Amino acid sequence: MRRAVTALAAAGLLTGSLAGAALAEPAGGAPGAVVGNTELPAELWLDGTGSARRLTYWTRTSLDEPALSTGAIFVPAGTPPPGGWPVLSWEHGTVGVADECAPSVAGRSDRDKNYLSTWLKQGYAVVATDYIGLGTPGVHTYLDGRAEAHAGIDMVRAARAVDPTLAAKWMAIGQSQGGGAAVFTAAMATRYAPELDYRGAVATGPASNVVEAASLIGPQTPPIPSSHLTAYAAYIMVGLKAARPAFDADAYLTPIGKEVVTAAEQMCLTAQAAEKFGSITVNQLFSQPLSSGPFAEYAHEVMDVPLTGYDRPLFLGQGTNDTDVFLPLTLKLIADLETHGVRPEVHIYPGLDHSATVAGSLPDSMPFVARAFS
């Protein structure tokens, strides 16, 4: 870890005396401790931003080991209300696993910018983690829900450490990968950060039941022409290997699969990836089905959404035409939660796909958030 912090300092991500303080503490700082604080370039600001910073801060992996993450703070323009700006911790969807995919460096899609700007203009500060490994040492542990939740919660801690206008009351919001992360966050927040005033979570198109879906993938899978599906499968293999190094991903991969996974480690989920993976179907990646061998054992530990621990309101939004997170997966999540006594506020959006559900949920999620903060 000392080498990791040294690398950050050399790259200029640790600033001034903070870099020296971090180097003096090789075991890692307390969760939320800030080791880098710079102004976010204006071209990366959201509409309605009054000030914005980019932070590097300590958090914890799903194995409870110290790790660094980066993220951005967006503070609304104007005067904060009494008690400070209420905080929304945004947990983003799939962007890739390479360092250059980190949204605080690469920027955000128009969809996400419009969505987050809407919240900002309603008087909420937005803090947005990049997750561990996106712009910090190590490989991003894609769909490692506890690690992503830790990063999202510790982003709130880090933001409040550098900006006194932020309130202690906060909520998690997320889409897709980040929707799953927001559900993990909802199950963990009050126990992981009891000093904060956690109020609830909003998750749209939430990644869940990933292992059950992945169990259908293998050489026997029909040759589905979907560059996104191919990329997701590659990111799952990269992320699981990073989260649990004992997992032998290569044992499941064909020579083409190994090439795709290696390429995915360096490629963001963009038009470039669509072109690269467009002619490769997911069945070509695998020499054996993911339903066999130890994949499920490792993946359940890392990716299964918790079914207990929820003590604040939870909003789940899902489009019926979502082909990234299929409706039956979310319906199973809802049923499993309800079996364990959890009663989320559920909104199903007829005709909306994965992306359209983000903005489509706002007429329902905005009053949900307002009620939780009141």
Side-chain angles (χ1 to χ4, degrees), residues 312-351:
R312 299 291 186 274
L314 173 63
F315 177 108
L316 297 176
Q318 174 71 38
T320 60
N321 289 19
D322 192 329
T323 57
D324 292 77
V325 174
F326 293 102
L327 175 62
L329 298 177
T330 299
L331 293 178
K332 183 179 186 303
L333 170 64
I334 294 164
D336 290 343
L337 288 170
E338 291 180 342
T339 297
H340 287 77
V342 183
R343 297 289 182 267
E345 181 175 315
V346 177
H347 294 270
I348 305 298
Y349 298 102

mmCIF file of all heavy atoms in Angstrom, residues 312-351:
data_model
loop_
_atom_site.group_PDB
_atom_site.id
_atom_site.type_symbol
_atom_site.label_atom_id
_atom_site.label_comp_id
_atom_site.label_asym_id
_atom_site.label_seq_id
_atom_site.Cartn_x
_atom_site.Cartn_y
_atom_site.Cartn_z
ATOM 1 N N ARG A 312 -33.811 2.058 6.509
ATOM 2 C CA ARG A 312 -34.278 3.337 5.977
ATOM 3 C C ARG A 312 -35.016 3.065 4.659
ATOM 4 O O ARG A 312 -34.853 1.992 4.067
ATOM 5 C CB ARG A 312 -33.105 4.288 5.733
ATOM 6 C CG ARG A 312 -32.290 4.652 6.967
ATOM 7 C CD ARG A 312 -33.082 5.526 7.936
ATOM 8 N NE ARG A 312 -32.239 5.984 9.044
ATOM 9 C CZ ARG A 312 -32.013 5.309 10.178
ATOM 10 N NH1 ARG A 312 -32.579 4.110 10.333
ATOM 11 N NH2 ARG A 312 -31.257 5.811 11.117
ATOM 12 N N PRO A 313 -35.793 4.018 4.169
ATOM 13 C CA PRO A 313 -36.576 3.778 2.945
ATOM 14 C C PRO A 313 -35.694 3.451 1.738
ATOM 15 O O PRO A 313 -34.605 3.995 1.569
ATOM 16 C CB PRO A 313 -37.312 5.101 2.738
ATOM 17 C CG PRO A 313 -37.381 5.719 4.103
ATOM 18 C CD PRO A 313 -36.098 5.316 4.772
ATOM 19 N N LEU A 314 -36.192 2.543 0.898
ATOM 20 C CA LEU A 314 -35.485 2.107 -0.308
ATOM 21 C C LEU A 314 -36.419 2.210 -1.500
ATOM 22 O O LEU A 314 -37.523 1.658 -1.478
ATOM 23 C CB LEU A 314 -35.003 0.668 -0.139
ATOM 24 C CG LEU A 314 -34.392 -0.008 -1.371
ATOM 25 C CD1 LEU A 314 -33.125 0.708 -1.828
ATOM 26 C CD2 LEU A 314 -34.090 -1.485 -1.086
ATOM 27 N N PHE A 315 -35.975 2.920 -2.542
ATOM 28 C CA PHE A 315 -36.726 3.108 -3.780
ATOM 29 C C PHE A 315 -36.095 2.255 -4.861
ATOM 30 O O PHE A 315 -34.881 2.331 -5.087
ATOM 31 C CB PHE A 315 -36.667 4.594 -4.169
ATOM 32 C CG PHE A 315 -37.344 4.961 -5.467
ATOM 33 C CD1 PHE A 315 -38.537 5.670 -5.453
ATOM 34 C CD2 PHE A 315 -36.768 4.662 -6.703
ATOM 35 C CE1 PHE A 315 -39.151 6.062 -6.648
ATOM 36 C CE2 PHE A 315 -37.371 5.041 -7.892
ATOM 37 C CZ PHE A 315 -38.572 5.733 -7.861
ATOM 38 N N LEU A 316 -36.897 1.455 -5.550
ATOM 39 C CA LEU A 316 -36.417 0.647 -6.670
ATOM 40 C C LEU A 316 -37.212 0.998 -7.915
ATOM 41 O O LEU A 316 -38.445 0.904 -7.920
ATOM 42 C CB LEU A 316 -36.552 -0.849 -6.371
ATOM 43 C CG LEU A 316 -35.733 -1.396 -5.205
ATOM 44 C CD1 LEU A 316 -36.055 -2.878 -4.990
ATOM 45 C CD2 LEU A 316 -34.245 -1.208 -5.439
ATOM 46 N N GLY A 317 -36.511 1.410 -8.983
ATOM 47 C CA GLY A 317 -37.149 1.729 -10.251
ATOM 48 C C GLY A 317 -36.636 0.828 -11.352
ATOM 49 O O GLY A 317 -35.429 0.596 -11.461
ATOM 50 N N GLN A 318 -37.543 0.320 -12.182
ATOM 51 C CA GLN A 318 -37.165 -0.643 -13.216
ATOM 52 C C GLN A 318 -38.023 -0.456 -14.460
ATOM 53 O O GLN A 318 -39.250 -0.373 -14.376
ATOM 54 C CB GLN A 318 -37.359 -2.074 -12.690
ATOM 55 C CG GLN A 318 -37.148 -3.168 -13.711
ATOM 56 C CD GLN A 318 -35.686 -3.331 -14.115
ATOM 57 O OE1 GLN A 318 -34.797 -3.213 -13.284
ATOM 58 N NE2 GLN A 318 -35.444 -3.608 -15.388
ATOM 59 N N GLY A 319 -37.384 -0.379 -15.619
ATOM 60 C CA GLY A 319 -38.105 -0.305 -16.883
ATOM 61 C C GLY A 319 -38.429 -1.686 -17.415
ATOM 62 O O GLY A 319 -37.628 -2.622 -17.297
ATOM 63 N N THR A 320 -39.595 -1.818 -18.030
ATOM 64 C CA THR A 320 -39.993 -3.129 -18.554
ATOM 65 C C THR A 320 -39.183 -3.514 -19.791
ATOM 66 O O THR A 320 -39.066 -4.701 -20.104
ATOM 67 C CB THR A 320 -41.485 -3.148 -18.927
ATOM 68 O OG1 THR A 320 -41.743 -2.150 -19.927
ATOM 69 C CG2 THR A 320 -42.360 -2.867 -17.714
ATOM 70 N N ASN A 321 -38.641 -2.524 -20.503
ATOM 71 C CA ASN A 321 -37.896 -2.801 -21.732
ATOM 72 C C ASN A 321 -36.388 -2.779 -21.517
ATOM 73 O O ASN A 321 -35.632 -2.630 -22.469
ATOM 74 C CB ASN A 321 -38.277 -1.787 -22.821
ATOM 75 C CG ASN A 321 -39.679 -2.000 -23.359
ATOM 76 O OD1 ASN A 321 -40.501 -2.646 -22.721
ATOM 77 N ND2 ASN A 321 -39.967 -1.457 -24.523
ATOM 78 N N ASP A 322 -35.972 -2.939 -20.287
ATOM 79 C CA ASP A 322 -34.545 -2.939 -19.945
ATOM 80 C C ASP A 322 -33.910 -4.238 -20.429
ATOM 81 O O ASP A 322 -34.315 -5.328 -20.022
ATOM 82 C CB ASP A 322 -34.392 -2.811 -18.428
ATOM 83 C CG ASP A 322 -32.975 -2.504 -17.986
ATOM 84 O OD1 ASP A 322 -32.028 -2.932 -18.672
ATOM 85 O OD2 ASP A 322 -32.811 -1.854 -16.942
ATOM 86 N N THR A 323 -32.919 -4.128 -21.322
ATOM 87 C CA THR A 323 -32.213 -5.310 -21.824
ATOM 88 C C THR A 323 -30.805 -5.419 -21.253
ATOM 89 O O THR A 323 -30.027 -6.253 -21.695
ATOM 90 C CB THR A 323 -32.151 -5.298 -23.358
ATOM 91 O OG1 THR A 323 -31.514 -4.093 -23.803
ATOM 92 C CG2 THR A 323 -33.541 -5.399 -23.962
ATOM 93 N N ASP A 324 -30.474 -4.571 -20.269
ATOM 94 C CA ASP A 324 -29.203 -4.672 -19.551
ATOM 95 C C ASP A 324 -29.415 -5.344 -18.193
ATOM 96 O O ASP A 324 -28.697 -6.265 -17.827
ATOM 97 C CB ASP A 324 -28.582 -3.283 -19.362
ATOM 98 C CG ASP A 324 -28.135 -2.667 -20.668
ATOM 99 O OD1 ASP A 324 -28.988 -2.183 -21.431
ATOM 100 O OD2 ASP A 324 -26.930 -2.690 -20.935
ATOM 101 N N VAL A 325 -30.386 -4.840 -17.447
ATOM 102 C CA VAL A 325 -30.844 -5.492 -16.219
ATOM 103 C C VAL A 325 -32.296 -5.887 -16.475
ATOM 104 O O VAL A 325 -33.196 -5.044 -16.466
ATOM 105 C CB VAL A 325 -30.738 -4.555 -14.996
ATOM 106 C CG1 VAL A 325 -31.347 -5.214 -13.764
ATOM 107 C CG2 VAL A 325 -29.280 -4.180 -14.733
ATOM 108 N N PHE A 326 -32.510 -7.160 -16.727
ATOM 109 C CA PHE A 326 -33.836 -7.616 -17.141
ATOM 110 C C PHE A 326 -34.834 -7.525 -15.989
ATOM 111 O O PHE A 326 -34.493 -7.761 -14.820
ATOM 112 C CB PHE A 326 -33.764 -9.060 -17.652
ATOM 113 C CG PHE A 326 -32.986 -9.205 -18.935
ATOM 114 C CD1 PHE A 326 -31.682 -9.678 -18.922
ATOM 115 C CD2 PHE A 326 -33.544 -8.836 -20.151
ATOM 116 C CE1 PHE A 326 -30.957 -9.804 -20.095
ATOM 117 C CE2 PHE A 326 -32.831 -8.957 -21.332
ATOM 118 C CZ PHE A 326 -31.533 -9.435 -21.299
ATOM 119 N N LEU A 327 -36.070 -7.192 -16.345
ATOM 120 C CA LEU A 327 -37.138 -7.053 -15.361
ATOM 121 C C LEU A 327 -37.248 -8.252 -14.420
ATOM 122 O O LEU A 327 -37.387 -8.063 -13.200
ATOM 123 C CB LEU A 327 -38.470 -6.799 -16.080
ATOM 124 C CG LEU A 327 -39.727 -6.735 -15.212
ATOM 125 C CD1 LEU A 327 -39.653 -5.592 -14.213
ATOM 126 C CD2 LEU A 327 -40.976 -6.594 -16.094
ATOM 127 N N PRO A 328 -37.201 -9.505 -14.910
ATOM 128 C CA PRO A 328 -37.330 -10.634 -13.981
ATOM 129 C C PRO A 328 -36.255 -10.654 -12.889
ATOM 130 O O PRO A 328 -36.522 -11.129 -11.773
ATOM 131 C CB PRO A 328 -37.209 -11.859 -14.902
ATOM 132 C CG PRO A 328 -37.689 -11.379 -16.226
ATOM 133 C CD PRO A 328 -37.196 -9.959 -16.324
ATOM 134 N N LEU A 329 -35.057 -10.147 -13.182
ATOM 135 C CA LEU A 329 -34.012 -10.111 -12.159
ATOM 136 C C LEU A 329 -34.395 -9.158 -11.030
ATOM 137 O O LEU A 329 -34.194 -9.460 -9.845
ATOM 138 C CB LEU A 329 -32.678 -9.699 -12.776
ATOM 139 C CG LEU A 329 -32.111 -10.623 -13.849
ATOM 140 C CD1 LEU A 329 -30.813 -10.052 -14.415
ATOM 141 C CD2 LEU A 329 -31.874 -12.026 -13.293
ATOM 142 N N THR A 330 -34.943 -7.999 -11.391
ATOM 143 C CA THR A 330 -35.351 -7.042 -10.367
ATOM 144 C C THR A 330 -36.582 -7.525 -9.622
ATOM 145 O O THR A 330 -36.700 -7.335 -8.407
ATOM 146 C CB THR A 330 -35.596 -5.664 -11.001
ATOM 147 O OG1 THR A 330 -34.380 -5.209 -11.608
ATOM 148 C CG2 THR A 330 -36.042 -4.644 -9.962
ATOM 149 N N LEU A 331 -37.515 -8.181 -10.328
ATOM 150 C CA LEU A 331 -38.688 -8.731 -9.645
ATOM 151 C C LEU A 331 -38.272 -9.802 -8.640
ATOM 152 O O LEU A 331 -38.858 -9.902 -7.545
ATOM 153 C CB LEU A 331 -39.661 -9.310 -10.662
ATOM 154 C CG LEU A 331 -40.334 -8.293 -11.601
ATOM 155 C CD1 LEU A 331 -41.245 -9.016 -12.589
ATOM 156 C CD2 LEU A 331 -41.107 -7.253 -10.816
ATOM 157 N N LYS A 332 -37.254 -10.593 -8.970
ATOM 158 C CA LYS A 332 -36.743 -11.579 -8.016
ATOM 159 C C LYS A 332 -36.115 -10.886 -6.808
ATOM 160 O O LYS A 332 -36.312 -11.308 -5.655
ATOM 161 C CB LYS A 332 -35.725 -12.502 -8.671
ATOM 162 C CG LYS A 332 -35.203 -13.599 -7.742
ATOM 163 C CD LYS A 332 -34.212 -14.509 -8.433
ATOM 164 C CE LYS A 332 -33.800 -15.682 -7.544
ATOM 165 N NZ LYS A 332 -33.228 -15.254 -6.257
ATOM 166 N N LEU A 333 -35.358 -9.809 -7.060
ATOM 167 C CA LEU A 333 -34.780 -9.049 -5.943
ATOM 168 C C LEU A 333 -35.874 -8.535 -5.023
ATOM 169 O O LEU A 333 -35.783 -8.669 -3.791
ATOM 170 C CB LEU A 333 -33.955 -7.881 -6.482
ATOM 171 C CG LEU A 333 -33.473 -6.851 -5.441
ATOM 172 C CD1 LEU A 333 -32.518 -7.489 -4.451
ATOM 173 C CD2 LEU A 333 -32.833 -5.649 -6.135
ATOM 174 N N ILE A 334 -36.933 -7.970 -5.604
ATOM 175 C CA ILE A 334 -38.034 -7.442 -4.801
ATOM 176 C C ILE A 334 -38.675 -8.549 -3.982
ATOM 177 O O ILE A 334 -38.934 -8.405 -2.779
ATOM 178 C CB ILE A 334 -39.071 -6.758 -5.717
ATOM 179 C CG1 ILE A 334 -38.457 -5.507 -6.365
ATOM 180 C CG2 ILE A 334 -40.331 -6.400 -4.939
ATOM 181 C CD1 ILE A 334 -39.242 -4.996 -7.561
ATOM 182 N N ALA A 335 -38.940 -9.692 -4.621
ATOM 183 C CA ALA A 335 -39.561 -10.817 -3.913
ATOM 184 C C ALA A 335 -38.666 -11.323 -2.792
ATOM 185 O O ALA A 335 -39.149 -11.626 -1.686
ATOM 186 C CB ALA A 335 -39.869 -11.936 -4.904
ATOM 187 N N ASP A 336 -37.370 -11.412 -3.055
ATOM 188 C CA ASP A 336 -36.443 -11.887 -2.029
ATOM 189 C C ASP A 336 -36.384 -10.914 -0.850
ATOM 190 O O ASP A 336 -36.330 -11.331 0.321
ATOM 191 C CB ASP A 336 -35.043 -12.076 -2.621
ATOM 192 C CG ASP A 336 -34.952 -13.253 -3.578
ATOM 193 O OD1 ASP A 336 -35.856 -14.112 -3.554
ATOM 194 O OD2 ASP A 336 -33.983 -13.304 -4.363
ATOM 195 N N LEU A 337 -36.354 -9.618 -1.149
ATOM 196 C CA LEU A 337 -36.355 -8.616 -0.076
ATOM 197 C C LEU A 337 -37.632 -8.718 0.753
ATOM 198 O O LEU A 337 -37.587 -8.714 1.998
ATOM 199 C CB LEU A 337 -36.218 -7.212 -0.656
ATOM 200 C CG LEU A 337 -34.854 -6.819 -1.229
ATOM 201 C CD1 LEU A 337 -34.957 -5.500 -1.991
ATOM 202 C CD2 LEU A 337 -33.807 -6.707 -0.125
ATOM 203 N N GLU A 338 -38.767 -8.830 0.074
ATOM 204 C CA GLU A 338 -40.031 -8.880 0.797
ATOM 205 C C GLU A 338 -40.140 -10.144 1.644
ATOM 206 O O GLU A 338 -40.711 -10.119 2.743
ATOM 207 C CB GLU A 338 -41.195 -8.776 -0.188
ATOM 208 C CG GLU A 338 -41.285 -7.378 -0.816
ATOM 209 C CD GLU A 338 -42.426 -7.221 -1.792
ATOM 210 O OE1 GLU A 338 -42.960 -8.260 -2.256
ATOM 211 O OE2 GLU A 338 -42.774 -6.070 -2.107
ATOM 212 N N THR A 339 -39.568 -11.239 1.164
ATOM 213 C CA THR A 339 -39.546 -12.476 1.956
ATOM 214 C C THR A 339 -38.787 -12.271 3.266
ATOM 215 O O THR A 339 -39.086 -12.917 4.283
ATOM 216 C CB THR A 339 -38.896 -13.613 1.138
ATOM 217 O OG1 THR A 339 -39.691 -13.867 -0.018
ATOM 218 C CG2 THR A 339 -38.781 -14.894 1.958
ATOM 219 N N HIS A 340 -37.824 -11.368 3.246
ATOM 220 C CA HIS A 340 -37.030 -11.076 4.442
ATOM 221 C C HIS A 340 -37.550 -9.854 5.200
ATOM 222 O O HIS A 340 -36.838 -9.278 6.034
ATOM 223 C CB HIS A 340 -35.564 -10.874 4.055
ATOM 224 C CG HIS A 340 -34.867 -12.147 3.693
ATOM 225 N ND1 HIS A 340 -35.040 -12.775 2.473
ATOM 226 C CD2 HIS A 340 -33.997 -12.935 4.398
ATOM 227 C CE1 HIS A 340 -34.320 -13.875 2.442
ATOM 228 N NE2 HIS A 340 -33.683 -14.004 3.581
ATOM 229 N N GLY A 341 -38.766 -9.438 4.905
ATOM 230 C CA GLY A 341 -39.401 -8.374 5.659
ATOM 231 C C GLY A 341 -39.067 -6.971 5.198
ATOM 232 O O GLY A 341 -39.447 -5.996 5.867
ATOM 233 N N VAL A 342 -38.388 -6.832 4.071
ATOM 234 C CA VAL A 342 -38.035 -5.515 3.544
ATOM 235 C C VAL A 342 -39.123 -5.100 2.554
ATOM 236 O O VAL A 342 -39.510 -5.874 1.683
ATOM 237 C CB VAL A 342 -36.662 -5.541 2.839
ATOM 238 C CG1 VAL A 342 -36.274 -4.150 2.360
ATOM 239 C CG2 VAL A 342 -35.596 -6.110 3.778
ATOM 240 N N ARG A 343 -39.617 -3.877 2.673
ATOM 241 C CA ARG A 343 -40.695 -3.392 1.822
ATOM 242 C C ARG A 343 -40.227 -2.162 1.037
ATOM 243 O O ARG A 343 -40.494 -1.023 1.433
ATOM 244 C CB ARG A 343 -41.924 -3.035 2.672
ATOM 245 C CG ARG A 343 -42.531 -4.213 3.427
ATOM 246 C CD ARG A 343 -43.219 -5.180 2.491
ATOM 247 N NE ARG A 343 -43.852 -6.286 3.214
ATOM 248 C CZ ARG A 343 -43.272 -7.449 3.453
ATOM 249 N NH1 ARG A 343 -42.040 -7.660 3.022
ATOM 250 N NH2 ARG A 343 -43.896 -8.402 4.116
ATOM 251 N N PRO A 344 -39.521 -2.359 -0.056
ATOM 252 C CA PRO A 344 -39.088 -1.210 -0.842
ATOM 253 C C PRO A 344 -40.263 -0.534 -1.536
ATOM 254 O O PRO A 344 -41.307 -1.153 -1.759
ATOM 255 C CB PRO A 344 -38.130 -1.829 -1.869
ATOM 256 C CG PRO A 344 -38.603 -3.242 -2.007
ATOM 257 C CD PRO A 344 -39.120 -3.641 -0.659
ATOM 258 N N GLU A 345 -40.084 0.737 -1.859
ATOM 259 C CA GLU A 345 -41.050 1.438 -2.708
ATOM 260 C C GLU A 345 -40.685 1.121 -4.152
ATOM 261 O O GLU A 345 -39.619 1.507 -4.625
ATOM 262 C CB GLU A 345 -41.007 2.945 -2.462
ATOM 263 C CG GLU A 345 -42.010 3.712 -3.314
ATOM 264 C CD GLU A 345 -42.056 5.194 -3.001
ATOM 265 O OE1 GLU A 345 -42.085 5.554 -1.801
ATOM 266 O OE2 GLU A 345 -42.050 5.997 -3.959
ATOM 267 N N VAL A 346 -41.552 0.422 -4.850
ATOM 268 C CA VAL A 346 -41.242 -0.115 -6.171
ATOM 269 C C VAL A 346 -42.000 0.658 -7.243
ATOM 270 O O VAL A 346 -43.211 0.905 -7.108
ATOM 271 C CB VAL A 346 -41.602 -1.609 -6.254
ATOM 272 C CG1 VAL A 346 -41.347 -2.144 -7.659
ATOM 273 C CG2 VAL A 346 -40.796 -2.398 -5.220
ATOM 274 N N HIS A 347 -41.290 1.020 -8.307
ATOM 275 C CA HIS A 347 -41.907 1.669 -9.464
ATOM 276 C C HIS A 347 -41.450 0.958 -10.728
ATOM 277 O O HIS A 347 -40.250 0.878 -11.006
ATOM 278 C CB HIS A 347 -41.530 3.148 -9.524
ATOM 279 C CG HIS A 347 -42.081 3.952 -8.393
ATOM 280 N ND1 HIS A 347 -43.303 4.570 -8.446
ATOM 281 C CD2 HIS A 347 -41.575 4.195 -7.143
ATOM 282 C CE1 HIS A 347 -43.534 5.190 -7.293
ATOM 283 N NE2 HIS A 347 -42.494 4.973 -6.486
ATOM 284 N N ILE A 348 -42.401 0.420 -11.476
ATOM 285 C CA ILE A 348 -42.133 -0.239 -12.751
ATOM 286 C C ILE A 348 -42.567 0.704 -13.866
ATOM 287 O O ILE A 348 -43.685 1.234 -13.839
ATOM 288 C CB ILE A 348 -42.891 -1.580 -12.856
ATOM 289 C CG1 ILE A 348 -42.552 -2.484 -11.647
ATOM 290 C CG2 ILE A 348 -42.552 -2.272 -14.168
ATOM 291 C CD1 ILE A 348 -41.101 -2.868 -11.536
ATOM 292 N N TYR A 349 -41.681 0.908 -14.848
ATOM 293 C CA TYR A 349 -41.931 1.893 -15.893
ATOM 294 C C TYR A 349 -42.157 1.194 -17.241
ATOM 295 O O TYR A 349 -41.202 0.764 -17.894
ATOM 296 C CB TYR A 349 -40.760 2.875 -15.970
ATOM 297 C CG TYR A 349 -40.607 3.643 -14.673
ATOM 298 C CD1 TYR A 349 -39.622 3.298 -13.751
ATOM 299 C CD2 TYR A 349 -41.492 4.675 -14.356
ATOM 300 C CE1 TYR A 349 -39.512 3.974 -12.550
ATOM 301 C CE2 TYR A 349 -41.388 5.356 -13.157
ATOM 302 C CZ TYR A 349 -40.397 5.003 -12.252
ATOM 303 O OH TYR A 349 -40.304 5.672 -11.054
ATOM 304 N N PRO A 350 -43.441 1.070 -17.648
ATOM 305 C CA PRO A 350 -43.747 0.387 -18.915
ATOM 306 C C PRO A 350 -43.108 1.093 -20.105
ATOM 307 O O PRO A 350 -43.161 2.323 -20.240
ATOM 308 C CB PRO A 350 -45.280 0.467 -18.991
ATOM 309 C CG PRO A 350 -45.724 0.650 -17.573
ATOM 310 C CD PRO A 350 -44.657 1.480 -16.936
ATOM 311 N N GLY A 351 -42.467 0.306 -20.955
ATOM 312 C CA GLY A 351 -41.904 0.817 -22.192
ATOM 313 C C GLY A 351 -40.550 1.477 -22.072
ATOM 314 O O GLY A 351 -39.946 1.829 -23.094
#
